[in-house]
Amino acid sequence: MVNAARVGRWARGLGLTGVVALSAWVVELTREPLERSFVQAQNLTDSYLLPGPDQTVLFSLGYRDALADLLWAHAWVWAGQRLGKRERFEFAGDYLDVITRLAPTFRAPYERVTLLFGVLSGVKLRQEDLLRARALLRRGTEQRPD
């Protein structure tokens, strides 16, 4: 005679194994289309998610220099990735506007304006990028005349 408790445990173990196998099969079926759409999403243009400079100053809650440092590091990472792909960093001007509004005497953004706009990448710059860079350099000479 077969023990009913033993059969019950065996059936539960088999059911759990079936659920795991079914889950692995579903993951294998959906993995490739999801991976394809993920790669396509990575190849799209960048997105700029910060509010305007004035709202970002309010958003900093008094930690303006800290937020400016954080954004500066973030902008350099994005610029480096774009430089490696020989692409233009689309939102360099937006980041620099926010950073210089948060910390007007922060020297590095004024010194490296042209690097963030992608002068070294060999990408043809737009007229608006050049005008924005010139405005930032003027603001830098006003804030830091030395």
Side-chain angles (χ1 to χ4, degrees):
M1 182 152 193
V2 177
N3 188 352
R6 197 178 216 182
V7 171
R9 276 186 269 143
W10 182 79
R12 277 182 290 193
L14 186 62
L16 181 62
T17 304
V19 167
V20 169
L22 181 65
S23 300
W25 180 69
V26 168
V27 166
E28 184 59 33
L29 284 178
T30 59
R31 183 186 60 79
E32 187 177 339
L34 289 175
E35 182 181 4
R36 216 174 311 121
S37 65
F38 177 73
V39 168
Q40 288 174 347
Q42 281 185 326
N43 293 333
L44 296 175
T45 60
D46 300 332
S47 56
Y48 180 74
L49 302 176
L50 289 175
D54 294 330
Q55 290 83 12
T56 306
V57 169
L58 291 174
F59 175 70
S60 70
L61 300 175
Y63 295 98
R64 295 171 66 163
D65 290 336
L67 185 57
D69 287 341
L70 178 69
L71 292 175
W72 178 245
H74 180 74
W76 268 107
V77 168
W78 275 103
Q81 289 176 347
R82 295 294 157 247
L83 179 67
K85 295 179 182 179
R86 298 255 184 229
E87 296 175 352
R88 184 171 40 87
F89 181 31
E90 292 183 39
F91 300 107
D94 297 323
Y95 276 107
L96 288 170
D97 283 341
V98 169
I99 290 167
T100 56
R101 187 74 55 91
L102 284 167
T105 58
F106 187 25
R107 179 182 301 215
Y110 302 121
E111 290 176 343
R112 296 175 181 92
V113 166
T114 55
L115 293 176
L116 279 180
F117 276 107
V119 171
L120 295 179
S121 68
V123 176
K124 185 176 179 182
L125 295 176
R126 298 179 302 187
Q127 183 71 21
E128 73 178 58
D129 291 339
L130 296 173
L131 294 174
R132 226 167 168 182
R134 189 168 86 183
L136 282 164
L137 288 172
R138 279 190 181 153
R139 192 180 322 152
T141 55
E142 290 171 4
Q143 291 295 326
R144 300 191 65 93
D146 58 338

